[in-house]
Each structure stands twice: as C-alpha cells, then as structure tokens.
C-alpha cells in the first residue's frame, strides 16, 4: 500500500514554523497584515475567506476584511485595491475568486501591486516565476512542491506529468517542477493517448476537476500521485481527480482528498505573506 501523504500534518508543521518567524519579526517591530477582499456572498468563497483569516490568526498576522456587495462595480473594486496598494501597513492583498460576472478578473488581478500579490496571480509574478526571478508563487502548486519535499520525494531528474494547464495550478506547477530540475510534460483535454502520457510519470500531478477520472490504467506502478482536484462524487462526497481506492495500491505515495493538497494552499498563502516582508524593503 502506498504512503499516504498527510497534507494536514505537513501544513500544520509549516504554519508552526511561520508562527515562530512571525513572532521573531514582531520582536524586531515588524508586523504583517493581509487584506482579504470578497465580492458577493458565494458560500464556497465565504468558507475559503474564513479559513484564510483563521490561518492569519493562528500564525499571529493581522487580517483586514472587506466584504463587498454583489453589485460592487469593477471601478469601485479597483479603487479599493488602489487604496490598499498605497497603505504601508498592508503587506498582502487577496481578492477571493471567482468574482461576479460583470467584473473582469484579469483587470482586477493586474490592479494589485505585484509586491502585495500574495496569490501570485499577477502577470509580473507569473513572469518572474518563468524566468527564475524573485516574486510570489501561486499557492497551490507551491504547496505541492512542499508536500513532495517534506515527504522526502526527490524531484530532480524525475519524469513529471502535470495534468491540467490552468493559469493558477497547471502552468505554475509545471514551472516549479522545472525549477526543481524535473523533466516535465503538461497534458490537457486535447492531449492524445492521455493514458500513455500519464503512465510515463514518476510523479503524476492531476488538476483537472474531473471526479475520480484517473483510474489505475493512467498510472505507472510505483508512481507518486498528487491529486489537486476538489470535486463532488455522485453521492455529493468530496473527492479528487483520482480514483483513490483503485489507484492507491499501485503507488509509492499518494495524496488523499480531502486532507492532501487542500490544506497546503492556505499554508503557502501565509508563507507568501511572510515573504512579502522581503519583497517590500522598509
Ligand atoms: P480549470 O478548469 O481552470 O482547468 C482544468 C484543466 O484540466 C484544463 O487545462 C483542462 O484542459 C484540463 N482538463 C479538463 N478535463 C480534462 C480531461 N478530461 N482530460 C484531460 N485534461 C482535462 O481548473 P483549475 O486548474 O482551476 O482546477 C483544477 C482542479 O483543482 C479543480 O478540481 C479545482 O477545484 C482544484 N483546485 C484545488 C485547489 C486546492 O487548494 N487543492 C486550488 C485550485 C484548484 P483544457 O485546458 O484543454 O481545457
């Protein structure tokens, strides 16, 4: 049976390390504050926002909360971001996605000062990642790298397949694996012979949003499987992109859903908030 990678335990370990760093910074007189902006009252977003604020509290950093009504205009939202960009006491700005349809998400992301872009979605952050310069890295893929490293799984030289090519998961994931000296393939909905491609992977990372699509015939024996997907199965139960029951016996290590990649996203967001201190020299 595979080693089950415990994302909850690893994320707690990271949060405890961050807590110590925050306390050391406080002693030097440096406080950190994250501004969290939510537009509308999407229930899933509300849960994410609440968990992010809880995470801030746990490691001892401040959080400012902006809960704006659904009918907020793009101009109003961008004006708020402008104010937050200008505030010296705000280190990170997070706008919870998705935004209501009448607001252009890309325009909002571009309005955030890249030095405060703790989600790592700004084109400048993405560009910096692709050319190996300092900048914020998208939290979920950064969390996957930490899961691998902290589980003692070597990445350098490995054949890695990333399934999914979104801007927030698949693409930055591939860039991070490349930075760790893996040989990387990105697969997506137009990939031909998908099973053949994924079966080459020493490390397979799935981020497609298709409940339990990845069955044993997509996976090489002894592979490490990291499941980023968060879906509901036919009974409304949370599940990943991977059919865990079927695939786990085949792997050397695998993440469960829930309790795998999910908890890492907030841990890495908090880590980015600390990183902001280095990107914003005082
Ligand atoms: P997107 O919908 O933006 O991207 C999905 C990607 O998967 C696309 O590149 C798409 O290909 C590809 N894809 C879809 N269906 C197939 C298929 N049948 N075969 C091959 N490729 C396919 O999703 P996200 O990247 O935002 O999220 C992916 C999953 O990860 C979701 O379940 C989401 O909930 C979860 N997630 C989890 C997070 C966490 O904290 N754990 C954070 C963010 C996301 P194409 O480009 O060709 O359309």
């Amino acid at each position: 049976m595979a080693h089950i990678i415990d994302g909850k335990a690893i994320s707690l370990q990271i949060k405890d390390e961050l807590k110590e760093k925050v306390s050391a910074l406080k002693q030097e007189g440096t406080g950190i504050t994250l501004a969290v902006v939510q537009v509308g009252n999407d229930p899933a977003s509300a849960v994410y926002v609440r968990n992010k604020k809880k995470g801030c509290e746990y490691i001892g950093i401040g959080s400012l909360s902006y809960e704006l009504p659904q009918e907020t205009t793009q101009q109003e939202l961008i004006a708020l971001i402008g104010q937050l960009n200008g505030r010296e006491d705000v280190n990170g700005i997070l706008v919870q996605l998705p935004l209501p349809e009448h607001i252009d998400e890309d325009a909002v992301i571009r309005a955030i000062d890249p030095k405060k872009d703790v989600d790592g979605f700004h084109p400048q952050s993405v560009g910096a990642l692709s050319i190996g310069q300092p900048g914020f890295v998208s939290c979920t893929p950064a969390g996957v790298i930490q899961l691998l490293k902290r589980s003692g799984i070597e990445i350098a030289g490995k054949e890695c397949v990333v399934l999914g090519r979104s801007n927030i998961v698949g693409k930055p994931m591939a860039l991070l694996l490349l930075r760790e000296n893996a040989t990387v393939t990105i697969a997506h909905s137009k990939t031909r012979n998908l099973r053949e491609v994924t079966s080459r992977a020493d490390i397979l990372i799935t981020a497609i949003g298709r409940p339990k699509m990845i069955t044993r015939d997509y996976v090489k024996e002894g592979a490490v499987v990291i499941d980023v997907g968060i879906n509901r199965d036919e009974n409304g139960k949370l599940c990943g992109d991977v059919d865990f029951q079927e695939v786990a016996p085949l792997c050397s290590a695998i993440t469960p859903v829930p309790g795998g990649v999910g908890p890492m996203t907030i841990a890495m967001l908090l880590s980015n908030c600390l990183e902001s201190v280095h990107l914003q020299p005082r």
Side-chain angles (χ1 to χ4, degrees):
M1 184 69 179
H3 165 64
I4 314 281
I5 299 174
D6 185 346
K8 254 191 182 167
I10 296 175
S11 74
L12 188 61
Q13 190 184 55
I14 293 174
K15 285 193 278 189
D16 285 336
E17 290 166 13
L18 294 172
K19 200 174 186 174
E20 276 184 29
K21 288 185 188 161
V22 170
S23 138
L25 280 169
K26 270 189 189 155
Q27 277 170 16
E28 291 168 15
T30 307
I32 300 174
T33 300
L34 170 69
V36 182
V37 183
Q38 188 190 349
V39 184
N41 39 22
D42 173 55
S45 292
V47 173
Y48 289 134
V49 165
R50 199 162 55 238
N51 288 340
K52 286 168 187 174
K53 286 193 280 196
K54 264 197 216 158
C56 289
E57 210 174 296
Y58 183 82
I59 69 161
I61 69 178
S63 67
L64 296 173
S65 188
Y66 295 86
E67 285 159 28
L68 309 181
Q70 175 80 13
E71 57 278 8
T72 304
T73 65
Q74 182 168 318
Q75 211 180 2
E76 286 166 336
L77 178 56
I78 290 181
L80 171 63
I81 292 171
Q83 279 173 28
L84 296 171
N85 283 341
R87 275 178 63 166
E88 270 192 21
D89 61 328
V90 171
N91 306 82
I93 302 171
L94 182 148
V95 178
Q96 185 63 43
L97 302 180
L99 290 168
E101 269 179 18
H102 64 275
I103 299 180
D104 175 358
E105 277 183 7
D106 287 339
V108 171
I109 291 169
R110 278 197 307 273
I112 298 173
D113 180 343
K115 290 197 202 72
K116 300 189 178 188
D117 172 40
V118 284
D119 254 341
F121 295 165
H122 191 286
Q124 191 171 312
S125 307
V126 179
L129 171 63
S130 70
I131 59 172
Q133 289 193 349
F136 292 110
V137 176
S138 181
C139 302
T140 302
V144 171
I145 297 290
Q146 284 302 314
L147 279 182
L148 292 169
K149 288 190 171 174
R150 287 171 187 252
S151 304
I153 295 163
E154 208 183 333
I155 305 172
K158 294 281 177 67
E159 197 75 55
C160 294
V161 175
V162 179
L163 186 47
R165 56 173 165 178
S166 70
N167 290 340
I168 62 166
V169 188
K171 282 181 200 150
M173 187 71 252
L175 287 168
L176 284 175
L177 290 165
L178 197 58
R179 190 162 90 175
E180 297 294 333
N181 298 314
T183 302
V184 185
T185 303
I186 307 178
H188 46 78
S189 70
K190 308 289 185 296
T191 298
R192 270 189 260 163
N193 305 324
L194 186 60
R195 287 182 178 79
E196 227 171 81
V197 174
T198 56
S199 297
R200 287 205 299 263
D202 300 314
I203 302 175
L204 173 62
I205 296 169
T206 64
I208 50 177
R210 298 278 178 265
K212 299 187 190 171
M213 188 185 111
I214 304 305
T215 47
R216 55 182 304 129
D217 43 336
Y218 286 82
V219 182
K220 176 169 82 176
E221 182 134 20
V224 172
V225 175
I226 307 289
D227 189 352
V228 180
I230 302 179
N231 315 299
R232 298 263 169 202
D233 69 10
E234 61 283 4
N235 303 315
K237 229 177 117 197
L238 271 189
C239 71
D241 295 333
V242 175
D243 184 334
F244 185 88
Q245 295 305 331
E246 193 179 308
V247 170
L250 207 76
C251 308
S252 56
I254 187 166
T255 56
V257 177
V261 176
M264 296 300 290
T265 300
I266 292 185
M268 300 321 292
L269 168 72
L270 299 170
S271 169
N272 277 352
C273 290
L274 256 81
E275 185 66 25
S276 69
V277 174
H278 304 293
L279 292 171
Q280 297 158 17
R282 279 141 206 260

